[in-house]
Amino acid sequence: MTDRLTGLGTRARLEDKIARLIAEREEDPAPFAIAIIDLDGFKPINDLYGRTAGDGILKQAALRLRAAIDESSMVVRLGADEFAVLAPLVFSAAAARHLASTLIEVLSAPYDIGARSVRLTASVGSSIYEHADETTEALIGKAETALYEARRTGRNRVVVYSPELVEATHSVTRIEQALRRAVSNGEVEPHFQPIVALDSGHLLGFEALARWTDHDLGPVSPGLFIPLAEERGIMPDLSRLVLGKAADAARNWPRHLFLAFNLSPEQLVDQSTAREVLEISARSGLDPRRLEVEITETGLMSQPETAAAIIGEFKRAGARIALDDFGTGQSSLGRLRDFPFDKLKIDRSFIASIMEDRASEHIVRAILAMCTGLGMGAVAEGIEERAQAKRLAELGCRMGQGFLYGRAEPALATAEFIHLRESRRLASLKRT
């Protein structure tokens, strides 16, 4: 019952130890805790740098976990990048949360893989043995439910099981089923947020964003249903639906306006993605040269070769490629070297603090200088104040989007917005 790679115990050893603890405490069920730990982002790192590097990370993680627990506790490897800790002297949810936070901290330090180092975070789900009728299977199941919730709500966090968690899990399941029906029935719609020239305010294009209002649930936040769609395998169908509607709308815009849309990480490992997107564009009658495909670095890291092939197909068709949320991923400079991006989208977290935080301004200044040197465009996301737009223009940023220029609106409202803005632009040209 020993894991060959790490030397830790296995799930069978964990189950045996839990069963013995339950038996020992049957007369007086003193609490104890278990924690299940998942290394966030391990698979992309393993795919990018190879199995040898991945095995090295797992060995280092095992050593760190073993060093972080007391003599009464035990750590095992459950499989892949999951570990578990049994803590007989942890008696409360607060203590379990403290232990899990310590484990996350030790696992977040850099890992050496040959000549380079990488960072990972971790998610932890924990459960407490409190009742004499609790079984080993139930206790582990509760910890797994808590871990699922930690992953679903952002990763790099701790969740301790509680009865309320079950209701939250059921709520997510209801939303998932409603989303599947909505996608099947074509009920998810694109809304369009303008992207403008910062010096003149002229429209350059729009980013298509998915919006969903359910008959029973009402408006559902994209911050909830988009991660759920990615996690449950709904995203490819959702993306095709929204892109088809967005392309139908964009076909009728003035030809100088482009349509930007996002590809999910799941789509960047599917070799048919570019063909499907370009077929949707062709059916709508939208010139692929008016398409701007936005991808995140997370998507690139899983299968870089497949992603490169997909990007190559788009480029040959005349579509442009933008790297979204720049500045928040790992090895971003390496991505710029390896992939032919046309634009970078500067993450809104830097723009939000650009007027107060000198570090944010210096980062934005450096990104813009780099874009100039590499011959790429730059789009600042999340602009909400005129002062931010002015500072960005002074720094040399030419494009931006955010609430200052307009929120995402449905197709009809967007068409009316375009008509009004174009009328004003043409009138201005006539006056000059």
Side-chain angles (χ1 to χ4, degrees):
M1 293 191 294
T2 300
D3 177 61
R4 291 183 179 180
L5 178 65
T6 63
L8 298 177
T10 61
R11 175 182 285 268
R13 183 177 293 182
L14 174 69
E15 292 174 347
D16 179 68
K17 179 64 174 177
I18 292 174
R20 284 192 281 122
L21 263 179
I22 290 175
E24 290 170 7
R25 302 185 182 189
E26 185 175 6
E27 297 297 325
D28 181 16
F32 63 87
I34 66 169
I36 300 180
I37 305 111
D38 177 72
L39 298 179
D40 301 329
F42 173 77
K43 186 180 184 303
I45 293 292
N46 191 55
D47 291 342
L48 184 60
Y49 296 113
R51 182 173 177 178
T52 300
D55 287 350
I57 290 173
L58 294 174
K59 291 177 183 178
Q60 293 175 62
L63 290 172
R64 295 180 191 186
L65 290 170
R66 187 180 285 163
I69 60 176
D70 59 37
E71 293 182 357
S72 69
S73 301
M74 70 177 293
V75 58
V76 304
R77 184 186 178 204
L78 297 179
D81 59 339
E82 280 194 356
F83 300 85
V85 168
L86 171 62
L89 300 182
V90 171
F91 305 128
S92 67
R97 192 172 287 107
H98 177 75
L99 171 62
S101 297
T102 300
L103 299 179
I104 287 177
E105 184 176 353
V106 301
L107 291 172
S108 298
Y111 293 85
D112 294 324
I113 51 170
R116 66 181 72 203
S117 65
V118 297
R119 286 183 179 271
L120 297 174
T121 57
S123 299
V124 180
S126 188
S127 62
I128 311 293
Y129 170 77
E130 295 177 311
H131 306 290
D133 59 352
E134 195 119 56
T135 66
T136 300
E137 294 76 12
L139 194 64
I140 292 175
K142 288 179 178 179
E144 289 174 338
T145 297
L147 176 61
Y148 170 79
E149 183 69 6
R151 290 167 172 163
R152 187 187 70 80
T153 53
R155 301 180 183 266
N156 192 30
R157 63 189 303 263
V158 179
V159 173
V160 179
Y161 179 88
S162 67
E164 293 76 18
L165 190 60
V166 177
E167 177 55 34
T169 303
H170 290 165
S171 176
V172 170
T173 300
R174 288 194 296 270
I175 294 172
E176 176 192 353
Q177 294 305 314
L179 179 59
R180 290 187 184 277
R181 288 194 301 270
V183 171
S184 178
N185 295 333
E187 295 170 358
V188 183
E189 297 291 336
H191 285 203
F192 303 91
Q193 184 173 43
I195 300 172
V196 306
L198 292 183
D199 58 352
S200 64
H202 290 163
L203 283 176
L204 302 174
F206 290 83
E207 180 179 358
L209 301 167
R211 295 293 184 264
W212 173 39
T213 299
D214 184 72
H215 299 300
D216 300 319
L217 301 172
V220 183
S221 167
L224 175 59
F225 77 80
I226 293 296
L228 185 62
E230 292 177 341
E231 182 181 303
R232 304 297 174 90
I234 307 171
M235 198 63 204
D237 289 337
L238 173 61
S239 181
R240 284 189 287 268
L241 169 64
V242 173
L243 176 60
K245 292 185 176 185
D248 286 343
R251 175 188 59 208
N252 298 314
W253 299 345
R255 294 187 61 79
H256 66 275
L257 298 179
F258 65 81
L259 172 67
F261 68 98
N262 297 276
L263 286 185
S264 69
E266 184 178 0
Q267 290 173 288
L268 278 175
V269 299
D270 183 348
Q271 296 179 352
S272 66
T273 290
R275 173 179 53 79
E276 289 181 348
V277 168
L278 293 172
E279 286 177 354
I280 291 171
S281 176
R283 285 197 299 270
S284 297
L286 181 69
D287 189 335
R289 290 172 295 182
R290 296 176 60 197
L291 289 176
E292 194 161 285
V293 183
E294 297 187 4
I295 59 180
T296 63
E297 193 174 354
T298 301
L300 295 176
M301 291 179 66
S302 181
Q303 294 185 25
E305 292 183 359
T306 302
I310 291 170
I311 290 172
E313 285 188 66
F314 279 123
K315 295 283 285 185
R316 287 190 292 275
R320 294 185 294 273
I321 307 295
L323 180 61
D324 200 9
D325 299 334
F326 182 76
T328 62
Q330 300 183 49
S331 306
S332 290
L333 295 178
R335 300 308 105 201
L336 296 182
R337 179 193 60 200
D338 297 338
F339 293 91
F341 299 113
D342 298 287
K343 291 180 183 177
L344 301 184
K345 301 196 76 174
I346 305 172
D347 188 72
R348 65 184 62 246
S349 61
F350 300 117
I351 308 306
S353 56
I354 194 172
M355 301 303 297
E356 302 84 26
D357 181 30
R358 289 181 60 83
S360 292
E361 179 177 325
H362 285 308
I363 289 171
V364 171
R365 190 189 300 271
I367 292 172
L368 292 171
M370 181 180 62
C371 286
T372 298
L374 294 173
M376 298 180 185
V379 182
E381 297 183 289
I383 302 174
E384 297 186 3
E385 303 171 3
R386 294 195 180 279
Q388 293 171 339
K390 181 180 178 183
R391 178 64 57 84
L392 287 163
E394 290 170 349
L395 295 176
C397 186
R398 299 185 182 279
M399 293 170 282
Q401 68 183 103
F403 291 165
L404 178 63
Y405 302 106
R407 296 177 181 269
E409 298 288 351
L412 182 59
T414 298
E416 294 172 350
F417 177 80
I418 291 171
H419 177 73
L420 178 62
R421 294 290 295 269
E422 286 297 296
S423 298
R424 290 175 179 175
R425 184 177 71 88
L426 294 174
S428 175
L429 290 174
K430 288 180 179 179
R431 288 196 298 269
T432 60

